Structures are given as structure tokens and as C-alpha cells.
Amino acid sequence: MKGIRIGELLVEQGLLTQRQVREILREQADSHRPFGDLAERLFGVGARHIEDAWVEQYVRTAGLVDLEEQRIDVDCLRRINRRQAWQFQLLPTHFDGQEMCVVSSPDRLVRALNFAGRAIEDPIYMMVADREQLSTFLMRHYPVPSHIAEYAQTL
């Protein structure tokens, strides 16, 4: 599946011009710095915009998974606790070879990835699911009172 470059996304979003992207790519060839880092340094693109573009790139490339089609392994669920699952909107599903598949929603992907990378000892593979479906599965596997689930959506 062909992906989309972050520079293309930033142009789509009106944050960079094609000329600026070419300039960043020239600088990147010399410095070997990440594109987002150079966009921030050279043209003042905010870190949050770079992060959002990365998430959009990931979702467009990987797509959304249907959690109904995913295997859920109880041993994986036990790797995090209920509070962590809801706070970081994170659902460990199963092992795929040596990697644990972990699901989050597009709007929580970066936060979930940062947490999972620190808290889960196994190598992880991130997948992305629809936010509503993820909430349904979190409630199924990490049940909490509805007011806590509603609050977690605001974090």
C-alpha cells in the first residue's frame, strides 16, 4: 500500500508550500534530520501539527482495524491495568509472532504509543481503530462505571 509523505500532508493542510517542502528535503539530504524536525526549525510548523500529520500518515497507510475481527488474548489484556487502558485509550489484543498488537484510536495514538513503549516490556505493533468501537471494547474488557468512561474520553 502506497503511503503519503508528511510533507504532502502539511501542504494539504496549508502549513507548508511545495517550495518549502523541497527546501526541507534538500536540507534533510544534507543533515539526515527528520522531516518534521526540519519543518519546525526552518518554517515554524508547530510540533502538534507535525504530530497530527504523522498520525494522519499512519492511519492513511495502515487503515483502521475492525476490533470484531481481532483475536483478544487474556494474557495480553493483563499486561496493563484498567486505569491505564482507559487513561491511554489502549487495548492490547494479541501476539503476532514476537510483537504484541496494541490498539488505540487516531486521536490518542501518540499518547498511547508513548505509554505503551514505556510500560509494556514486549515489542509492540500499533493498530488504529475507530474511537467508538475502541470504547466499546475497553468497556467489554476493562469495565468501569459509565461516568469514568465518559471522563476518560475528555483526557
Side-chain angles (χ1 to χ4, degrees):
M1 176 184 298
K2 184 178 181 331
I4 185 166
R5 292 183 171 96
I6 288 199
E8 294 171 32
L9 288 168
L10 294 170
V11 169
E12 274 183 22
Q13 297 167 1
L15 297 168
L16 290 175
T17 65
Q18 291 289 347
R19 183 192 61 73
Q20 290 170 321
V21 169
R22 287 191 300 274
E23 190 172 329
I24 291 169
L25 292 173
R26 279 192 299 275
E27 178 65 26
Q28 190 177 36
D30 293 335
S31 69
H32 306 288
R33 303 285 313 157
F35 186 94
D37 177 57
L38 293 172
E40 287 180 59
R41 289 176 191 223
L42 296 175
F43 298 107
V45 177
R48 180 64 188 208
H49 292 295
I50 300 297
E51 195 174 274
D52 290 346
W54 175 81
V55 169
E56 178 69 20
Q57 179 187 44
Y58 191 86
V59 170
R60 285 192 191 186
T61 302
L64 296 178
V65 297
D66 182 350
L67 291 173
E68 294 291 347
E69 297 175 358
Q70 296 300 309
R71 185 175 75 247
I72 306 291
D73 181 346
V74 174
D75 289 332
C76 289
L77 293 172
R78 291 181 180 143
R79 301 293 174 107
I80 64 171
N81 63 42
R82 184 183 328 250
R83 180 195 56 79
Q84 293 166 329
W86 281 98
Q87 181 178 351
F88 296 100
Q89 297 288 292
L90 186 69
L91 180 69
T93 58
H94 64 280
F95 277 97
D96 186 5
Q98 299 283 331
E99 298 172 312
M100 181 188 299
C101 295
V102 180
V103 181
S104 190
S105 61
D107 59 322
R108 301 296 178 87
L109 182 61
V110 172
R111 189 166 188 235
L113 179 61
N114 288 334
F115 169 76
R118 288 188 319 271
I120 297 175
E121 293 179 13
D122 303 290
I124 61 168
Y125 175 79
M126 291 299 299
M127 297 186 296
V128 183
D130 173 77
R131 183 178 185 168
E132 294 301 318
Q133 187 182 45
L134 178 63
S135 291
T136 299
F137 273 71
L138 287 174
M139 190 60 85
R140 184 179 300 165
H141 297 289
Y142 298 101
V144 295
S146 61
H147 70 280
I148 292 176
E150 290 168 13
Y151 177 71
Q153 296 296 330
T154 67
L155 295 177

